[in-house]
């Protein structure tokens, strides 16, 4: 999960999702009242799960043959991560994966989304050897999940990569990164593909390119004015280059999987492959055509149709790279399913025909100013994530658009979660009672169920996240987990949301409040009996 707000930029028309059907088809009258959502509101075979990523939970940053990755290095620079946090230990899943698998199993979910640490499996990329200890670790994790009846959904690349590749040729700024990624993907297919049936190549490439090469907030921290004040970078061009290389890397890995693993290799693996997009929904700031158009400038076309939308060519011109005829062939239709990370809905204001703040008037940002506020009123209740608001209707409209635009291709909601605000020591007693997180999921699930009743082929929903973890540049102060992790002991303690999710999955959503409260009281006493230091390094 991204700790900063997903925002709209024109460069990401290739991956972000249009709000056309929200703009043209939604009215407040369509918003249904919240109901007591039940598992029976979803079709038979619908998969419920939880999501995590390697760097956010594993720790053990130099154990088992792992090399330094981009986040290990980036975290060392003072001011990059809030409170100087890092992922060196994180929540220590590397040593506690057996315990964490038992926790996942106890929730009653049937699927678990995890990622592979590139630097743990290939410490030097294709310039070095495969690390047997790294392969064995993930093989053990997968085996344990399957033993518990939990389907692994595997993300190959979730923001972290070997620092070796950054140092050698600039990582995603170079087309050489495509070759490295395909090599990494092949190692994963060979070693885990006999047991993994759901593959996602890259997590949120649109968001990563934005934060790493436009705003400079992610490694390698490249940007230019007015987007950020970095020592190197070009915010108007480099995100385009990075996105282009990521799209080609995905497409080449998907082609490799289909040609040599999916159905032909004996025994055939028979899985499916997709890519994960960060999908914020957009509504026009004002009820006028130009703001409606600002909220509409998005498309997923390259992954299905093989090229960038004409609007991108019009506004970005020669700054936008081109696909060769051969590349177009294997980019087109390079996904078997659409994986969507959705958290919020925002307003879009046109900057082509009106004055906007510096940056929003650039083509790279789609000539659109993005905000969560109109006339002093937020679009929804604020959360602990900046510019992220509770707007459940956005879930239905994202799904509805995908259904209509892409011929009802199968889709999974691979991340959806609620960020808690930071808490002081005096408020720790209330940390487990995360009723707002429960309300969030119930409301978003209600709108998802309605989209499915209208015919959308949605096949799964994954809560972000299992337990409080390293939330990138926000460190450990942004909490999205259903389990609280004690700063000193690293004990996992269920919050009210974990109890609710377990009850939702096991008892058709029937009220289990008394049992839940009794369990929470026990866990709460366990917390307050130990010293709590919110400022402690994890």
């Amino acid at each position: 999960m991204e700790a900063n707000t997903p925002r709209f930029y024109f460069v990401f028309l290739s991956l972000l999702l249009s709000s056309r059907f929200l703009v043209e088809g939604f009215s407040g009258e369509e918003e249904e009242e919240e109901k007591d959502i039940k598992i029976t509101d979803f079709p038979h075979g619908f998969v419920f799960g939880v999501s995590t990523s390697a760097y956010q939970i594993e720790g053990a940053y130099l154990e088992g043959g792992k090399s330094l990755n981009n986040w290990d290095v980036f975290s060392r620079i003072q001011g990059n991560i809030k409170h100087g946090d890092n992922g060196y230990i994180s929540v220590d899943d590397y040593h506690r994966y057996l315990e964490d698998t038992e926790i996942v199993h106890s929730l009653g979910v049937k699927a678990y989304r995890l990622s592979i640490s590139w630097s743990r499996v290939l410490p030097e990329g294709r310039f070095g050897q495969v690390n047997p200890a790294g392969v064995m670790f993930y093989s053990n994790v997968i085996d344990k999940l399957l033993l518990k009846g939990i389907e692994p959904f595997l993300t190959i690349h979730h923001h972290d990569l070997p620092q070796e590749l950054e140092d050698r040729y600039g990582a995603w700024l170079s087309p050489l990164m495509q070759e490295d990624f395909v090599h990494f993907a092949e190692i994963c297919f060979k070693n885990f593909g006999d047991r993994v049936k759901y593959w996602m190549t890259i997590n949120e490439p649109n968001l990563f390119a934005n934060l790493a090469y436009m705003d400079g907030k992610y490694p390698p921290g490249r940007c230019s004015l007015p987007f950020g004040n970095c020592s190197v970078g070009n915010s108007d061009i480099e995100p385009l280059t990075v996105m282009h290389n990521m799209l080609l890397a995905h497409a080449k890995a998907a082609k490799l999987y289909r040609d040599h693993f999916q159905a032909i290799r004996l025994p055939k693996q028979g899985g499916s492959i997709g890519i994960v997009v960060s999908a914020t929904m957009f509504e026009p700031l004002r009820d006028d055509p130009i703001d409606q158009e600002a909220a509409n400038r998005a498309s997923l076309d390259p992954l299905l149709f093989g090229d960038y939308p004409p609007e991108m060519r019009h506004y970005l011109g020669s700054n936008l790279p081109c696909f060769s005829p051969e590349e177009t062939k294997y980019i087109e239709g390079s996904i078997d399913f659409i994986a969507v990370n959705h958290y919020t809905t925002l307003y879009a204001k046109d900057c082509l025909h009106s004055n906007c703040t510096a940056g929003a008037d650039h083509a790279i940002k789609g000539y659109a100013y993005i905000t969560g506020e109109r006339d002093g009123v937020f679009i929804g209740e604020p959360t602990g994530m900046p510019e992220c608001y509770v707007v459940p209707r956005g879930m239905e409209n994202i799904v509805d658009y995908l259904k209509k635009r892409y011929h009802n291709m199968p889709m999974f909601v691979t991340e959806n979660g609620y960020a808690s605000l930071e808490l002081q020591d005096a408020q720790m007693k209330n940390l487990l009672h995360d009723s707002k997180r429960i309300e969030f999921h119930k409301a978003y699930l209600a709108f998802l169920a309605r989209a499915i009743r209208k015919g959308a082929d949605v096949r799964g929903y994954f809560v972000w996240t299992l337990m409080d973890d390293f939330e990138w540049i926000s460190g450990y102060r942004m909490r999205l987990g259903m389990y609280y992790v004690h700063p000193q002991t690293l004990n996992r303690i269920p919050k009210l949301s974990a109890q609710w999710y377990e009850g939702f999955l096991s008892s058709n959503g029937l009220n289990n409040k008394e049992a839940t409260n009794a369990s929470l009281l026990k866990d709460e006493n366990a917390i307050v009996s130990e010293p709590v230091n919110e400022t402690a390094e994890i």
Side-chain angles (χ1 to χ4, degrees):
M1 163 62 199
E2 158 50 27
N4 259 25
T5 305
R7 292 180 290 165
F8 173 89
Y9 296 110
F10 194 71
V11 60
F12 306 132
L13 286 174
S14 60
L15 284 173
L16 284 179
L17 308 176
S18 170
S19 58
R20 179 176 307 139
F21 289 95
L22 177 63
V23 173
E24 298 175 355
F26 176 80
S27 68
E29 295 177 355
E30 295 179 11
E31 192 163 354
E32 66 181 12
E33 295 181 1
E34 183 180 342
K35 65 175 183 177
D36 188 15
I37 190 73
K38 302 183 297 295
I39 195 172
T40 51
D41 292 321
F42 293 86
H44 178 73
F46 189 89
V47 175
F48 285 96
V50 290
S51 285
T52 62
S53 87
Y55 193 76
Q56 293 180 267
I57 66 171
E58 282 182 7
Y61 83 114
L62 285 180
E63 292 187 50
K66 177 186 170 295
S67 66
L68 288 175
N69 65 31
N70 54 336
W71 281 95
D72 294 327
V73 174
F74 189 71
S75 299
R76 291 177 173 178
I77 302 173
Q78 186 175 2
N80 281 349
I81 312 295
K82 195 170 183 179
H83 297 293
D85 290 342
N86 57 60
Y88 296 170
I89 298 175
S90 188
V91 294
D92 198 31
D93 175 76
Y94 183 79
H95 297 107
R96 300 173 182 237
Y97 77 90
L98 292 174
E99 173 190 353
D100 292 339
T101 303
E102 292 293 341
I103 290 173
V104 173
H105 180 250
S106 72
L107 289 172
V109 300
K110 298 301 181 184
Y112 180 65
R113 180 180 170 225
L114 69 157
S115 72
I116 302 294
S117 169
W118 198 332
S119 55
R120 196 176 295 284
V121 170
L122 285 168
E124 297 176 297
R126 59 189 165 88
F127 303 102
Q129 300 298 313
V130 175
N131 175 27
V135 171
M136 180 61 69
F137 170 71
Y138 292 109
S139 186
N140 289 339
V141 172
I142 291 167
D143 285 345
K144 182 66 173 178
L145 289 169
L146 291 172
L147 183 64
K148 293 293 183 178
I150 300 167
E151 190 78 40
F153 280 60
L154 203 61
T155 306
I156 297 173
H157 175 45
H158 195 128
H159 297 337
D160 56 310
L161 55 91
Q163 183 65 25
E164 175 85 11
L165 307 183
E166 186 68 53
D167 294 340
R168 279 183 180 262
Y169 54 74
W172 287 113
L173 280 173
S174 171
L176 295 174
M177 193 64 164
Q178 300 172 31
E179 184 178 346
D180 251 301
F181 179 75
V182 173
H183 176 61
F184 175 39
E186 183 175 17
I187 297 301
C188 292
F189 297 148
K190 285 180 177 178
N191 285 281
F192 314 126
D194 59 327
R195 290 156 290 167
V196 174
K197 303 307 176 187
Y198 295 93
W199 293 94
M200 288 150 283
T201 52
I202 303 174
N203 181 75
E204 300 178 327
N206 49 336
L207 206 58
F208 177 81
N210 161 7
L211 291 164
Y213 296 90
M214 184 186 300
D215 295 340
K217 295 179 179 179
Y218 268 27
R222 298 176 65 95
C223 66
S224 60
L225 296 173
F227 304 98
N229 189 20
C230 304
S231 59
V232 293
N234 186 327
S235 296
D236 287 300
I237 294 177
E238 288 187 353
L240 296 169
T241 302
V242 168
M243 176 60 69
H244 192 74
N245 285 326
M246 284 184 150
L247 283 173
L248 286 171
H250 154 78
K252 290 177 179 179
K255 185 177 188 300
L256 172 73
Y257 182 67
R258 288 170 169 174
D259 289 351
H260 298 285
F261 296 95
Q262 189 177 50
I264 296 176
R265 189 181 179 94
L266 296 176
K268 67 179 182 180
Q269 295 185 359
S272 57
I273 195 163
I275 191 171
V276 183
V277 296
S278 173
T280 297
M281 206 65 200
F282 296 95
E283 299 181 11
L285 182 65
R286 304 293 176 191
D287 187 18
D288 60 53
I290 61 172
D291 279 1
Q292 289 182 2
E293 183 57 32
N296 259 344
R297 297 187 192 123
S299 175
L300 196 65
D301 287 0
L303 295 176
L304 293 175
F305 306 129
D307 201 359
Y308 296 111
E311 294 89 345
M312 292 187 76
R313 295 285 175 203
H314 175 71
Y315 289 110
L316 294 166
S318 60
N319 286 340
L320 185 64
C322 294
F323 296 117
S324 70
E326 180 184 4
E327 290 169 343
T328 296
K329 287 181 181 179
Y330 56 72
I331 288 175
E332 183 178 3
S334 61
I335 53 177
D336 298 321
F337 59 87
I338 300 173
V340 178
N341 293 351
H342 174 71
Y343 289 85
T344 196
T345 297
L346 296 169
Y347 293 123
K349 176 183 181 294
D350 175 74
C351 296
L352 275 172
H353 305 92
S354 56
N355 294 326
C356 289
T357 57
D361 56 353
H362 285 231
I364 199 75
K365 293 188 71 171
Y367 299 112
Y369 170 69
I370 302 305
T371 180
E373 186 177 343
R374 180 171 63 191
D375 300 329
V377 178
F378 292 127
I379 192 170
E381 182 183 352
T383 71
M385 190 183 302
E387 296 182 27
C388 203
Y389 306 88
V390 180
V391 190
R393 64 178 180 264
M395 176 66 80
E396 178 183 1
N397 287 284
I398 282 284
V399 169
D400 191 50
Y401 168 74
L402 290 170
K403 178 188 71 173
K404 295 174 181 177
R405 176 70 172 128
Y406 303 111
H407 312 298
N408 210 12
M409 174 175 283
M411 63 188 94
F412 293 89
V413 178
T414 42
E415 287 184 24
N416 181 233
Y418 178 87
S420 300
L421 294 170
E422 293 188 15
L423 297 171
Q424 301 300 319
D425 289 357
Q427 298 171 298
M428 288 301 295
K429 185 176 180 180
N430 298 324
L431 181 61
L432 299 181
H433 295 263
D434 57 340
S435 57
K436 287 185 179 295
R437 181 167 291 109
I438 297 173
E439 293 170 5
F440 177 94
H441 284 293
K442 289 173 68 176
Y444 274 73
L445 281 169
F447 277 95
L448 178 60
R450 192 165 84 165
I452 294 171
R453 288 196 299 272
K454 290 162 60 179
D457 188 8
V458 185
R459 301 187 179 185
Y461 177 90
F462 292 73
V463 171
W464 185 273
T465 179
L466 177 62
M467 54 192 163
D468 294 336
D469 59 7
F470 178 78
E471 284 294 339
W472 307 116
I473 62 174
S474 292
Y476 298 96
R477 276 59 185 174
M478 183 179 293
R479 306 177 184 279
L480 291 102
M482 293 187 294
Y483 278 75
Y484 169 73
V485 180
H486 194 280
Q488 281 80 39
T489 66
L490 299 184
N491 288 341
R492 284 84 158 116
I493 302 170
K495 302 178 187 177
L496 188 63
S497 58
Q499 304 287 346
W500 167 78
Y501 201 33
E502 179 184 355
F504 168 77
L505 295 175
S506 64
S507 59
N508 296 334
L510 297 178
N511 195 331
N512 195 25
K513 184 176 293 186
E514 291 185 6
T516 296
N517 286 344
S519 176
L520 278 172
L521 181 60
K522 177 186 69 176
D523 294 323
E524 180 182 289
N525 290 334
I527 282 187
V528 299
S529 66
E530 300 186 45
V532 174
N533 179 7
E534 265 300 89
T535 62
E537 289 288 333
I538 295 183

